[in-house]
Amino acid sequence: MKSLKTLVIAAALSFGTMGVVQAQAPAAAPVEAPAATPVATPAPAVTDAAAPATDAAAVPAGDATYVPMKPVPGVGQPVDGGLNFQPQASVLGQKAYGLSHHILLPVITAISLLVLGLLLWVVVRYRASANPEPSKTSHNTIIEVIWTAVPVLILAVIAVPSIRLLAAQYEPPKKDALTVKVTGYQWYWGYAYPDQGIGEYVSKMLTPEQATAAGEPYHLAVDNRMVVPVGQQVKLIITGADVIHSFAVPSFWIKMDAVPGRANETTFTVTKPGVYYGQCSELCGVDHGYMPIAVEALPMDKWKAWVRSRGGNPDGAEAAAPAAAAPAPTGPVPATTEAAPAAVPAAVPAAKN
C-alpha cells in the first residue's frame, strides 16, 4: 500500500511540474516578441540613406550635353588640287608654317631666280657666236669669296629658327599636359585616357554610307574620334600592337611611328576648335590605306562633357577617388551603424525555432 501511495504522489507531482512549464512557456514568448519588433524600424532608415548616395553617384556617370562636332570643308582635311600645306591648328604647326613660308620660301625663290639669271646671262654673253675664242680664265678670287661667304650667311640665317623649331618638337611636356595613349593595330587605332579613367576604345573607318550620312569625307571619317581640349597641351604616348604604324595629323604638324614594344612620345597644343583628320603614314599591311585618324578639338567645358559621357572624370582619376569616398562617413555610414545592433535580436527567434 505504501508503494502504491508513493507512486500516486510521484505521478501527481510530475503532472504538476509539466503544467507549470506549459503555463510559463506562453508567458516567455510575449516577452521576447516586443524585442524583435523594433528590427523593422531601422531598415527604412538604411534604405532612405543609401538612396540619395546612389543618385548622387549616378550623376557624373554620363553627360548628354556632348554633341559631336561637324567638320568644316577645307579645314583639317585635304582639298582637291591643293598645293599648300593644310591650315595649321597647333602652336608647333604655326611655327613650322611660318618658317617654311616666311623664311625658307623667300630664300629658295631668291636663290632660284639668281641662279636662273646667271645661267641666262652666261648663255647669252658667252655663246659661241659671240666668243669665237673661249676665255682661258682659270679662277677669280672675288667670285670665289662671294660664292663661299653668301651661302654661309644664308645657312646661318636659316639655322637659327630651324634649331628653335627642332628643339620645340622635342621639348618635354608640361606637368598639366593631357596624356593620351595611342596604339596602332592592323588596321585601326586605339585611344585611352589613363588620367581621366577612360579605358581604351577603338577607332575604325566608316563605310561610304555612314560617312555620307554623317557629312564627313570617306576614307577619313571614323566611328570614335580622339577628343582633346583646345588650349591645353596634349601628350601622345604612341606604340604599336603588331607591326610598325605611323600616327600623322598634317594640321598639327605631327608624325610619329608606332613601334611594337616601344613607347614614342610627341606633343601638340590645338589653338582652335574643329575636326582634324590624318592617316597611318607607314606601310603596315593590306588595309594600310583604311586606318584614318580623326581628332576633335573642343573648348574645355565641352571636352569635360565628353569625358563625362565616356564615364571618366575630367579632373583626373586620382581626384575622383577622394571625392567618391568623402560622402561615405556623412551619409550611409551612420545609418548602417545604428541598424547593426537592431539586427542582432532578429536572429534570436530564428535560432529558437
Side-chain angles (χ1 to χ4, degrees):
M1 293 296 292
K2 290 183 180 180
S3 303
L4 182 60
K5 290 181 180 180
T6 303
L7 292 173
V8 172
I9 293 171
L13 291 174
S14 299
F15 285 113
T17 304
M18 293 174 63
V20 172
V21 172
Q22 292 176 356
Q24 291 178 351
V31 173
E32 295 183 0
T37 52
V39 177
T41 54
V46 177
T47 304
D48 296 338
T54 304
D55 295 339
V59 172
D63 196 321
T65 60
Y66 166 70
V67 178
M69 182 179 294
K70 295 291 184 180
V72 178
V75 177
Q77 56 185 290
V79 295
D80 293 338
L83 298 176
N84 198 356
F85 296 118
Q86 293 185 15
Q88 295 302 303
S90 70
V91 175
L92 187 62
Q94 291 169 357
K95 290 181 179 179
Y97 189 90
L99 172 64
S100 172
H101 282 61
H102 301 154
I103 297 179
L104 295 182
L105 189 58
V107 170
I108 292 172
T109 303
I111 293 175
S112 300
L113 293 176
L114 175 63
V115 173
L116 177 61
L118 291 175
L119 286 175
L120 293 176
W121 181 71
V122 169
V123 168
V124 175
R125 174 68 180 80
Y126 297 100
R127 68 187 187 275
S129 60
N131 296 273
E133 295 182 7
S135 173
K136 297 181 180 180
T137 303
S138 60
H139 66 277
N140 187 299
T141 304
I142 297 177
I143 293 178
E144 291 178 356
V145 170
I146 292 175
W147 73 37
T148 302
V150 172
V152 169
L153 294 176
I154 294 175
L155 292 176
V157 171
I158 296 175
V160 175
S162 298
I163 294 174
R164 288 179 180 175
L165 177 63
L166 185 64
Q169 290 178 335
Y170 291 95
E171 185 177 354
K174 300 177 182 178
K175 293 183 179 180
D176 61 345
L178 171 67
T179 300
V180 181
K181 181 183 177 183
V182 180
T183 305
Y185 299 92
Q186 290 180 310
W187 288 269
Y188 56 91
W189 296 96
Y191 305 120
Y193 296 71
D195 293 340
Q196 284 67 39
I198 300 178
E200 184 180 63
Y201 62 91
V202 299
S203 176
K204 297 184 177 181
M205 188 180 74
L206 296 180
T207 63
E209 295 77 12
Q210 292 172 334
T212 302
E216 299 189 52
Y218 178 53
H219 280 168
L220 295 177
V222 299
D223 52 0
N224 294 304
R225 302 168 177 168
M226 177 199 293
V227 184
V228 299
V230 174
Q232 182 176 357
Q233 189 181 48
V234 179
K235 177 180 70 174
L236 301 182
I237 299 177
I238 304 173
T239 187
D242 32 50
V243 298
I244 299 177
H245 303 274
S246 185
F247 188 88
V249 181
S251 293
F252 297 159
W253 205 274
I254 59 171
K255 181 181 181 296
M256 182 61 67
D257 286 347
V259 182
R262 180 183 300 176
N264 290 331
E265 183 179 295
T266 187
T267 61
F268 64 89
T269 303
V270 186
T271 57
K272 50 188 175 182
V275 181
Y276 306 95
Y277 297 100
Q279 287 181 312
C280 177
S281 298
E282 183 73 29
L283 187 60
C284 57
V286 63
D287 285 340
H288 158 69
Y290 301 95
M291 52 181 303
I293 302 164
V295 182
E296 182 177 354
L298 296 174
M300 184 59 70
D301 56 341
K302 294 184 179 180
W303 177 78
K304 290 182 177 181
W306 173 83
V307 172
R308 288 190 291 267
S309 71
R310 282 280 178 177
N313 190 316
D315 298 326
E318 296 181 356
T330 58
V333 172
T336 306
T337 306
E338 294 177 1
V344 177
V348 176
K352 287 189 177 184
N353 291 336

